[in-house]
Amino acid sequence: MLNDSTIPANIRTAIRNKEIMVGMTKEQVIASWGEPCWMCYGMRRSSSGDTWEYNPGGITSLGIGAGTYLYFDNNDVLRYWNGR
């Protein structure tokens, strides 16, 4: 994916640095951060877009749903995430 010239340079750089940015597709987010937590509390599908949860530590002392939530539009493009 990093050698794909159709991907903008700033997104290739983000993937290389294990970062995410608004405008990434789901595939680009997976290339950067890996698969989300499919069994986590925060995973949702809806007609307006999906929500993915990344919680590398699993359930923490902060409780279920203490991970990072990514919000995609209905075109599977990252629009924002919690804390951003």
Side-chain angles (χ1 to χ4, degrees):
M1 176 173 280
L2 290 177
N3 295 325
D4 185 345
S5 62
T6 63
I7 298 173
N10 60 338
I11 291 181
R12 286 194 311 260
T13 299
I15 293 169
R16 189 175 305 111
N17 293 332
K18 303 293 184 199
E19 298 170 349
I20 59 171
M21 59 188 296
V22 169
M24 283 181 147
T25 65
K26 288 180 175 181
E27 293 79 17
Q28 292 164 345
V29 168
I30 291 171
S32 184
W33 277 18
E35 294 282 339
C37 178
W38 297 114
M39 301 300 285
C40 286
Y41 176 77
M43 297 299 290
R44 301 230 191 320
R45 291 194 177 277
S46 77
S47 60
S48 62
D50 295 346
T51 302
W52 286 3
E53 181 178 359
Y54 282 85
N55 194 352
I59 297 173
T60 68
S61 60
L62 298 174
I64 295 173
T68 300
Y69 293 87
L70 281 60
Y71 301 91
F72 295 88
D73 65 18
N74 58 1
N75 293 314
D76 295 337
V77 174
L78 181 61
R79 289 296 164 217
Y80 63 98
W81 61 92
N82 65 324
R84 167 89 169 96

